[in-house]
Amino acid sequence: MLIQVPDVLTTEQVVEMRRLLESAEWVDGRVTAGHQSIRTKDNLQIPAGHPVARELGERILTALGRHPLFLSAALPLRVFPPLFNRYSGGQSFGTHVDNAIRQVPGTPHRIRTDLSATLFFADPSEYDGGELCVEDSYGVKRVKLPAGHLVLYPSTSLHHVTPVTRGARVCSFFWIQSMIRDDGHRSLLFDLDLSIQRLNADHPNHPSAVSLTGVYHNLLRQWAEV
Ligand code: NI
């Protein structure tokens, strides 16, 4: 399931963070590529652990921790420290699947990548191309979101980024290990959560909301790894 999460960052946050991103040092993005993707990856990244990446990564994690839609959709257990990339001058990233396991730099911890996330820092009007294309069982979804918005997709998906032929596409990208490993289970819980919220909005204090909330938590209890 591909989920768009709007307004993770405010316009003011995007402007301030882009100013910091422009001051950072950018290196060849192949530093974090796996054996297979190294041949098709062509972009720039800020090195992991760079002070700007750390500072902005913290701000992104804080914003995500307060975003109800992100929390409901991802049910995050661990989030990889956000990385930053930039595509311009025809740069692209060919079709690949993200590595299943990622070592968190500078720690003994590893995360399993259940969900991949891209947070956009440039508005679609600023560049041509640069669409994130995610293949799922219903075909290819093409994603290019306003600055400050995020897309979540299953890390099991084949995906690519089309060449940026004008301007620059600047994004943050990272991975999430969810409490719910299975994408189908996670999607069911997300749909149930949204339905309960709609029920509560349309029919406040409806007794079914209590029992459905019980069902939600009991499914979470069955399926969650914490
Ligand atoms: Ni990828």
Side-chain angles (χ1 to χ4, degrees):
M1 186 174 49
L2 185 143
I3 299 162
Q4 296 186 14
V5 184
D7 301 316
V8 170
L9 301 173
T10 64
T11 307
E12 295 72 33
Q13 285 177 307
V14 169
V15 169
E16 163 70 2
M17 290 167 82
R18 278 185 69 168
R19 197 179 58 73
L20 291 166
L21 286 170
E22 271 154 35
S23 72
E25 155 205 8
W26 292 81
V27 299
D28 191 317
R30 280 172 284 208
V31 287
T32 56
H35 292 299
Q36 171 224 338
S37 55
I38 201 161
R39 280 176 270 141
T40 58
K41 185 174 187 182
D42 179 19
N43 63 11
L44 296 178
Q45 283 179 205
I46 298 178
H50 186 288
V52 167
R54 274 197 204 168
E55 165 65 24
L56 300 194
E58 284 298 320
R59 292 189 200 180
I60 292 169
L61 295 182
T62 300
L64 290 174
R66 295 181 183 143
H67 201 297
L69 184 63
F70 170 81
L71 296 172
S72 173
L75 293 169
L77 178 61
R78 300 193 187 96
V79 183
F80 193 89
L83 296 168
F84 298 85
N85 62 16
R86 185 178 194 279
Y87 295 77
S88 63
Q91 287 180 316
S92 64
F93 196 163
T95 303
H96 65 281
V97 167
D98 294 343
N99 287 358
I101 306 291
R102 288 264 166 193
Q103 184 84 34
V104 180
T107 76
H109 306 299
R110 286 179 289 187
I111 77 159
R112 185 187 64 231
T113 59
D114 296 324
L115 287 160
S116 299
T118 298
L119 172 62
F120 291 79
F121 276 94
D123 261 319
S125 61
E126 295 177 59
Y127 60 99
D128 290 334
E131 290 174 308
L132 171 67
C133 300
V134 182
E135 298 179 24
D136 72 11
S137 46
Y138 298 109
V140 178
K141 301 258 169 54
R142 304 172 80 86
V143 188
K144 187 167 168 177
L145 300 181
H149 294 212
L150 173 136
V151 61
L152 277 176
Y153 56 98
S155 301
T156 49
S157 318
L158 283 169
H159 58 280
H160 65 275
V161 176
T162 63
V164 173
T165 54
R166 176 187 64 90
R169 175 196 194 266
V170 181
C171 289
S172 174
F173 65 103
F174 49 94
W175 300 274
I176 296 127
Q177 181 170 340
S178 177
M179 291 188 284
I180 307 297
R181 178 180 197 153
D182 182 82
D183 191 55
H185 287 174
R186 200 182 323 107
S187 297
L188 280 175
L189 288 170
F190 182 50
D191 288 344
L192 182 54
D193 191 7
L194 293 181
S195 302
I196 294 168
Q197 287 178 41
R198 275 196 298 272
L199 177 63
N200 278 327
D202 295 344
H203 304 281
N205 306 317
H206 194 289
S208 292
V210 176
S211 57
L212 288 170
T213 302
V215 171
Y216 177 88
H217 282 283
N218 291 333
L219 286 173
L220 190 59
R221 207 184 323 275
Q222 293 244 343
W223 292 335
E225 304 161 6
V226 291

